[in-house]
Amino acid sequence: MSRIDLRSDTVTLPSPAMRAAMAAAPLGDDQYGEDPSVNRLQDRMAELLGKEAALFVPSGTMANQIGLQLLTRPGDEVVVGEEAHITWHEAGASAFNAGVQFTVAGKGGLFTAADFRAAWKPDGHVVQPPTKLVCIENTHNRGGGLVFPQDEIEAICAAARELGCGTYLDGARIFNTAVATGMALADLCAPFDVVGVALSKGLGCPVGSLVAGSREAMTRAVRARRRFGGAMRQSGILAAAGLHALDQGFGHLERDHANARIIASRIAQTAAAIDIATVQTNIVIFKLPAPLPDAATVVRRAAEQGVLVSAFAPRTVRATTHLDVDAAQCRRAADVLAAAIEAG
Ligand SMILES: *Cc1c(COP(=O)(O)O)cnc(C)c1O
């Protein structure tokens, strides 16, 4: 029985062509600024994202943590949407490393400029923490791969600038946003001081993220990365995977999005709760209200049929499409999940 792994878009394996590009990559010691593959990836990504400079880092978590260190001081407050990766999935790093606290705005990961203004607290107040950063996740993972509306992003970031707050984009899946909206990456990133993007999600690379922003911010980011222990040496062997992915373009993400809709429309025929309107990219999240079986039961039953998905909460399941699953596999996975839900 062949396994269909929809737990995450991080489970992809590098293709033979990507491995060949990695094996052939020209290398040097990146701590001396001498790895040509890392330098090319950073330059290409900076240009693509419309920023002055970019820095290659081992993970999206480190990109987010560097972003926080660049834009906050301990004791500052950061405004985020509900269930942000930076608060839910980074092992408490934001409190541990940056010493910030979070205020949640809006619903389902999205919020408005009015929500941001309502959450904002001024500098110099006797008892309140100063709001110094707003962090937007696009697409929003736990919101179900939601695209954050760009006009709202522009309004939020304009308000942030007016109020003296920094702006950070957790763009681990910004390539999905670009494909879903047809917008240019540089336009999606333009409102933000600093952005983080992942190679290891939809682009199918084995390792890596980049953080991007002004040249001044990236000079400070080099030191922050070193402090986190994320400074690498002949890391061009990893950067080469990213260069290969950029050469391929992002057209394949359109297929991932179509495959997610295949799964979502089958789930919608069951008694599970799913809002098809939220299935905008490669993530399908559905809920299992009682008396349906709970998430652990559905995950176990599906696994017995070779279909792997994630229990995201006691009654919430996530399925994620990616480069290594095709439409036929997604149709089969959808039938297996529907049967697991309907088995009572
Ligand atoms: C996956 C992800 C990250 C980074 O995760 P790593 O596993 O550290 O690479 C950051 N933000 C979001 C929204 C993500 O989904």
Side-chain angles (χ1 to χ4, degrees):
M1 181 175 63
S2 74
R3 197 169 87 147
I4 304 171
D5 192 346
L6 304 174
R7 286 173 300 172
S8 174
D9 45 5
T10 57
V11 300
T12 54
L13 297 178
S15 65
M18 184 177 276
R19 284 176 183 261
M22 294 171 76
L27 303 175
D29 190 332
D30 181 55
Q31 289 303 285
Y32 292 94
E34 289 177 1
D35 190 301
S37 301
V38 170
N39 290 341
R40 250 184 79 212
L41 176 65
Q42 291 178 163
D43 290 348
R44 266 181 83 174
M45 193 63 91
E47 188 179 343
L48 202 53
L49 303 179
K51 299 298 183 199
E52 285 177 6
L55 187 70
F56 187 46
V57 297
S59 71
T61 298
M62 192 180 291
N64 284 350
Q65 294 302 312
I66 289 174
L68 284 178
Q69 289 222 327
L70 293 176
L71 298 167
T72 64
R73 299 199 320 188
D76 285 350
E77 186 166 77
V78 178
V79 173
V80 290
E82 280 184 345
E83 302 198 15
H85 192 281
I86 209 164
T87 57
W88 275 62
H89 288 216
E90 298 183 11
S94 306
F96 191 91
N97 297 317
V100 294
Q101 72 177 37
F102 291 100
T103 281
V104 174
K107 268 271 156 248
L110 308 184
F111 54 97
T112 64
D115 294 329
F116 168 68
R117 283 180 188 278
W120 179 79
K121 300 172 189 70
D123 222 351
H125 193 279
V126 205
V127 293
Q128 293 178 355
T131 307
K132 285 297 175 189
L133 179 66
V134 59
C135 178
I136 288 176
E137 188 173 313
N138 194 11
T139 64
H140 198 285
N141 174 22
R142 295 186 66 92
L146 276 183
V147 170
F148 207 113
Q150 193 66 17
D151 52 351
E152 207 56 60
I153 286 179
E154 281 163 14
I156 293 165
C157 291
R161 274 191 299 282
E162 177 196 319
L163 296 168
C165 289
T167 50
Y168 179 74
L169 169 67
D170 178 353
R173 294 193 180 82
I174 198 67
F175 304 102
N176 296 87
T177 307
V179 167
T181 60
M183 289 186 65
L185 286 160
D187 292 332
L188 293 168
C189 295
F192 296 96
D193 297 328
V194 178
V195 305
V197 301
L199 300 175
S200 54
K201 301 265 166 84
L203 300 194
C205 299
V207 177
S209 279
L210 289 99
V211 52
S214 69
R215 202 165 292 289
E216 181 273 330
M218 290 307 103
T219 302
R220 290 192 290 129
V222 170
R223 294 197 67 219
R225 181 183 63 176
R226 179 79 185 169
R227 274 197 299 270
F228 282 131
M232 300 176 283
R233 299 292 179 178
Q234 285 72 28
S235 37
I237 203 159
L238 305 174
L243 288 166
H244 176 79
L246 295 184
D247 287 342
Q248 305 301 301
F250 318 124
H252 60 85
L253 294 173
E254 189 71 66
R255 196 197 64 177
D256 294 351
H257 300 176
N259 288 342
R261 291 193 296 271
I262 289 174
I263 296 170
S265 54
R266 180 70 187 90
I267 300 298
Q269 293 165 1
T270 71
I274 181 167
D275 180 358
I276 293 281
T278 67
V279 186
Q280 298 169 355
T281 58
N282 68 323
I283 296 177
V284 180
I285 289 186
F286 56 90
K287 293 196 158 47
L288 297 160
L292 292 180
D294 65 7
T297 305
V298 167
V299 167
R300 180 179 48 75
R301 286 176 181 165
E304 285 163 7
Q305 303 300 314
V307 173
L308 305 186
V309 293
S310 296
F312 238 37
R315 291 197 161 270
T316 306
V317 172
R318 184 186 77 166
T320 311
T321 59
H322 51 74
L323 259 177
D324 289 358
V325 288
D326 61 20
Q329 289 173 307
C330 289
R331 273 191 292 274
R332 176 172 145 68
D335 286 339
V336 165
L337 286 170
I341 294 164
E342 284 164 348

Short mmCIF file of all heavy atoms in Angstrom, two decimals, residues 188-226:
data_model
loop_
_atom_site.label_atom_id
_atom_site.label_comp_id
_atom_site.label_asym_id
_atom_site.label_seq_id
_atom_site.Cartn_x
_atom_site.Cartn_y
_atom_site.Cartn_z
N LEU A 188 3.48 41.98 -2.51
CA LEU A 188 2.98 41.38 -1.26
C LEU A 188 3.86 41.75 -0.08
O LEU A 188 3.39 41.89 1.05
CB LEU A 188 2.91 39.85 -1.40
CG LEU A 188 1.87 39.32 -2.40
CD1 LEU A 188 2.10 37.83 -2.67
CD2 LEU A 188 0.45 39.54 -1.88
N CYS A 189 5.18 41.90 -0.35
CA CYS A 189 6.13 42.17 0.74
C CYS A 189 6.36 43.66 0.98
O CYS A 189 6.92 44.04 2.03
CB CYS A 189 7.48 41.51 0.42
SG CYS A 189 7.38 39.71 0.36
N ALA A 190 5.95 44.50 0.04
CA ALA A 190 6.29 45.93 0.09
C ALA A 190 5.89 46.62 1.39
O ALA A 190 6.64 47.47 1.89
CB ALA A 190 5.68 46.65 -1.11
N PRO A 191 4.72 46.32 1.98
CA PRO A 191 4.34 47.06 3.19
C PRO A 191 5.20 46.75 4.42
O PRO A 191 5.08 47.46 5.42
CB PRO A 191 2.89 46.62 3.44
CG PRO A 191 2.42 46.03 2.15
CD PRO A 191 3.65 45.45 1.51
N PHE A 192 6.04 45.71 4.37
CA PHE A 192 6.71 45.22 5.58
C PHE A 192 8.16 45.66 5.68
O PHE A 192 8.89 45.68 4.69
CB PHE A 192 6.67 43.69 5.62
CG PHE A 192 5.27 43.14 5.72
CD1 PHE A 192 4.58 42.75 4.58
CD2 PHE A 192 4.63 43.06 6.94
CE1 PHE A 192 3.28 42.26 4.66
CE2 PHE A 192 3.33 42.57 7.04
CZ PHE A 192 2.65 42.17 5.90
N ASP A 193 8.61 45.93 6.93
CA ASP A 193 10.02 46.22 7.19
C ASP A 193 10.87 44.98 6.94
O ASP A 193 11.93 45.05 6.33
CB ASP A 193 10.21 46.64 8.65
CG ASP A 193 9.47 47.92 9.00
OD1 ASP A 193 9.32 48.77 8.10
OD2 ASP A 193 9.00 48.03 10.15
N VAL A 194 10.43 43.86 7.50
CA VAL A 194 11.19 42.62 7.42
C VAL A 194 10.22 41.48 7.08
O VAL A 194 9.09 41.47 7.57
CB VAL A 194 11.92 42.31 8.76
CG1 VAL A 194 12.68 41.00 8.70
CG2 VAL A 194 12.89 43.46 9.11
N VAL A 195 10.67 40.55 6.24
CA VAL A 195 9.83 39.40 5.87
C VAL A 195 10.64 38.11 6.03
O VAL A 195 11.86 38.12 5.87
CB VAL A 195 9.30 39.51 4.41
CG1 VAL A 195 8.57 40.83 4.19
CG2 VAL A 195 10.42 39.36 3.39
N GLY A 196 9.94 37.02 6.34
CA GLY A 196 10.55 35.69 6.35
C GLY A 196 9.82 34.82 5.33
O GLY A 196 8.59 34.89 5.25
N VAL A 197 10.57 34.04 4.54
CA VAL A 197 9.95 33.13 3.57
C VAL A 197 10.63 31.76 3.67
O VAL A 197 11.82 31.69 3.99
CB VAL A 197 10.06 33.65 2.12
CG1 VAL A 197 9.40 35.02 1.99
CG2 VAL A 197 11.51 33.72 1.64
N ALA A 198 9.87 30.70 3.39
CA ALA A 198 10.41 29.34 3.55
C ALA A 198 10.67 28.68 2.20
O ALA A 198 9.85 28.78 1.28
CB ALA A 198 9.44 28.49 4.36
N LEU A 199 11.81 27.99 2.12
CA LEU A 199 12.10 27.14 0.96
C LEU A 199 11.56 25.73 1.18
O LEU A 199 11.35 24.98 0.23
CB LEU A 199 13.61 27.04 0.74
CG LEU A 199 14.35 28.36 0.49
CD1 LEU A 199 15.86 28.08 0.42
CD2 LEU A 199 13.87 29.00 -0.80
N SER A 200 11.37 25.35 2.45
CA SER A 200 11.11 23.96 2.80
C SER A 200 9.62 23.62 2.85
O SER A 200 9.25 22.52 3.25
CB SER A 200 11.74 23.66 4.17
OG SER A 200 11.28 24.61 5.11
N LYS A 201 8.76 24.54 2.43
CA LYS A 201 7.32 24.25 2.34
C LYS A 201 6.97 24.00 0.87
O LYS A 201 7.47 23.05 0.29
CB LYS A 201 6.51 25.41 2.93
CG LYS A 201 6.86 25.68 4.41
CD LYS A 201 5.89 24.98 5.35
CE LYS A 201 6.39 24.94 6.77
NZ LYS A 201 6.09 26.14 7.54
N GLY A 202 6.17 24.86 0.28
CA GLY A 202 5.68 24.62 -1.08
C GLY A 202 6.76 24.48 -2.13
O GLY A 202 6.55 23.85 -3.17
N LEU A 203 7.93 25.06 -1.90
CA LEU A 203 8.98 25.01 -2.93
C LEU A 203 9.72 23.67 -2.93
O LEU A 203 10.55 23.43 -3.81
CB LEU A 203 9.96 26.17 -2.76
CG LEU A 203 9.36 27.57 -2.86
CD1 LEU A 203 10.46 28.62 -3.03
CD2 LEU A 203 8.36 27.69 -4.01
N GLY A 204 9.47 22.83 -1.93
CA GLY A 204 9.97 21.46 -1.99
C GLY A 204 11.44 21.28 -1.66
O GLY A 204 12.02 20.24 -1.97
N CYS A 205 12.07 22.25 -1.02
CA CYS A 205 13.49 22.11 -0.65
C CYS A 205 13.62 21.36 0.67
O CYS A 205 12.71 21.39 1.49
CB CYS A 205 14.14 23.49 -0.50
SG CYS A 205 14.10 24.46 -2.01
N PRO A 206 14.77 20.72 0.90
CA PRO A 206 14.94 19.98 2.14
C PRO A 206 15.13 20.87 3.37
O PRO A 206 14.76 20.47 4.47
CB PRO A 206 16.18 19.12 1.89
CG PRO A 206 16.92 19.81 0.80
CD PRO A 206 15.90 20.51 -0.04
N VAL A 207 15.75 22.02 3.20
CA VAL A 207 16.14 22.87 4.35
C VAL A 207 16.10 24.34 3.94
O VAL A 207 16.49 24.67 2.82
CB VAL A 207 17.61 22.58 4.79
CG1 VAL A 207 18.03 23.50 5.93
CG2 VAL A 207 17.79 21.12 5.20
N GLY A 208 15.67 25.19 4.86
CA GLY A 208 16.00 26.60 4.70
C GLY A 208 14.86 27.57 4.57
O GLY A 208 13.77 27.25 4.10
N SER A 209 15.15 28.78 5.05
CA SER A 209 14.27 29.93 4.92
C SER A 209 15.16 31.13 4.65
O SER A 209 16.39 31.04 4.78
CB SER A 209 13.49 30.16 6.22
OG SER A 209 12.36 29.30 6.29
N LEU A 210 14.55 32.23 4.28
CA LEU A 210 15.30 33.48 4.19
C LEU A 210 14.55 34.57 4.91
O LEU A 210 13.31 34.56 4.97
CB LEU A 210 15.52 33.91 2.73
CG LEU A 210 16.53 33.03 1.98
CD1 LEU A 210 15.81 32.02 1.13
CD2 LEU A 210 17.48 33.87 1.14
N VAL A 211 15.32 35.51 5.48
CA VAL A 211 14.74 36.70 6.06
C VAL A 211 15.24 37.84 5.18
O VAL A 211 16.37 37.79 4.67
CB VAL A 211 15.09 36.79 7.56
CG1 VAL A 211 16.54 36.65 7.84
CG2 VAL A 211 14.54 38.03 8.20
N ALA A 212 14.39 38.82 4.93
CA ALA A 212 14.76 39.89 3.99
C ALA A 212 14.27 41.24 4.52
O ALA A 212 13.28 41.31 5.24
CB ALA A 212 14.19 39.62 2.61
N GLY A 213 15.01 42.30 4.14
CA GLY A 213 14.65 43.65 4.57
C GLY A 213 15.70 44.64 4.09
O GLY A 213 16.39 44.39 3.10
N SER A 214 15.85 45.73 4.82
CA SER A 214 16.84 46.74 4.43
C SER A 214 18.25 46.19 4.65
O SER A 214 18.46 45.25 5.43
CB SER A 214 16.66 48.01 5.27
OG SER A 214 17.03 47.74 6.62
N ARG A 215 19.21 46.79 3.96
CA ARG A 215 20.60 46.34 4.12
C ARG A 215 21.04 46.50 5.59
O ARG A 215 21.69 45.62 6.15
CB ARG A 215 21.51 47.17 3.20
CG ARG A 215 22.80 46.49 2.88
CD ARG A 215 23.52 47.11 1.69
NE ARG A 215 22.84 46.91 0.41
CZ ARG A 215 22.76 45.75 -0.24
NH1 ARG A 215 23.33 44.67 0.27
NH2 ARG A 215 22.13 45.66 -1.40
N GLU A 216 20.61 47.60 6.20
CA GLU A 216 20.97 47.85 7.61
C GLU A 216 20.39 46.75 8.50
O GLU A 216 21.08 46.19 9.36
CB GLU A 216 20.45 49.24 8.01
CG GLU A 216 20.76 49.66 9.44
CD GLU A 216 19.72 49.20 10.46
OE1 GLU A 216 18.53 49.06 10.10
OE2 GLU A 216 20.11 48.95 11.61
N ALA A 217 19.11 46.40 8.28
CA ALA A 217 18.48 45.36 9.11
C ALA A 217 19.17 44.01 8.89
O ALA A 217 19.39 43.25 9.84
CB ALA A 217 16.99 45.26 8.78
N MET A 218 19.55 43.71 7.64
CA MET A 218 20.16 42.40 7.37
C MET A 218 21.58 42.33 7.92
O MET A 218 22.06 41.26 8.29
CB MET A 218 20.14 42.10 5.87
CG MET A 218 18.75 41.83 5.33
SD MET A 218 17.83 40.54 6.24
CE MET A 218 16.70 41.53 7.21
N THR A 219 22.26 43.47 8.04
CA THR A 219 23.58 43.47 8.69
C THR A 219 23.41 43.07 10.16
O THR A 219 24.18 42.27 10.69
CB THR A 219 24.21 44.88 8.59
OG1 THR A 219 24.31 45.19 7.20
CG2 THR A 219 25.59 44.92 9.22
N ARG A 220 22.37 43.61 10.80
CA ARG A 220 22.10 43.21 12.18
C ARG A 220 21.62 41.75 12.24
O ARG A 220 21.90 41.03 13.20
CB ARG A 220 21.06 44.14 12.81
CG ARG A 220 21.62 45.55 13.05
CD ARG A 220 20.71 46.38 13.93
NE ARG A 220 19.47 46.74 13.26
CZ ARG A 220 18.25 46.55 13.77
NH1 ARG A 220 18.09 46.01 14.95
NH2 ARG A 220 17.18 46.91 13.08
N ALA A 221 20.91 41.32 11.20
CA ALA A 221 20.39 39.94 11.18
C ALA A 221 21.53 38.92 11.13
O ALA A 221 21.41 37.82 11.68
CB ALA A 221 19.45 39.75 9.97
N VAL A 222 22.63 39.28 10.48
CA VAL A 222 23.78 38.36 10.42
C VAL A 222 24.26 38.05 11.84
O VAL A 222 24.55 36.90 12.18
CB VAL A 222 24.93 38.98 9.58
CG1 VAL A 222 26.21 38.17 9.72
CG2 VAL A 222 24.52 39.09 8.12
N ARG A 223 24.31 39.07 12.69
CA ARG A 223 24.75 38.85 14.08
C ARG A 223 23.71 38.07 14.87
O ARG A 223 24.05 37.20 15.67
CB ARG A 223 25.05 40.19 14.76
CG ARG A 223 26.22 40.93 14.15
CD ARG A 223 26.73 42.01 15.09
NE ARG A 223 27.31 41.44 16.28
CZ ARG A 223 27.18 41.95 17.51
NH1 ARG A 223 26.46 43.05 17.68
NH2 ARG A 223 27.74 41.38 18.53
N ALA A 224 22.43 38.37 14.65
CA ALA A 224 21.37 37.65 15.35
C ALA A 224 21.42 36.16 14.98
O ALA A 224 21.32 35.28 15.85
CB ALA A 224 20.01 38.25 15.02
N ARG A 225 21.62 35.88 13.69
CA ARG A 225 21.71 34.48 13.25
C ARG A 225 22.88 33.78 13.93
O ARG A 225 22.77 32.64 14.38
CB ARG A 225 21.88 34.43 11.72
CG ARG A 225 21.97 33.02 11.15
CD ARG A 225 22.22 33.02 9.65
NE ARG A 225 23.51 33.63 9.29
CZ ARG A 225 23.99 33.68 8.06
NH1 ARG A 225 23.27 33.20 7.04
NH2 ARG A 225 25.15 34.24 7.82
N ARG A 226 24.00 34.46 14.03
CA ARG A 226 25.18 33.89 14.69
C ARG A 226 24.87 33.58 16.16
O ARG A 226 25.23 32.53 16.68
CB ARG A 226 26.35 34.89 14.57
CG ARG A 226 27.63 34.44 15.23
CD ARG A 226 28.38 33.45 14.39
NE ARG A 226 29.55 32.95 15.09
CZ ARG A 226 30.27 31.91 14.67
NH1 ARG A 226 29.96 31.30 13.55
NH2 ARG A 226 31.30 31.50 15.36
#
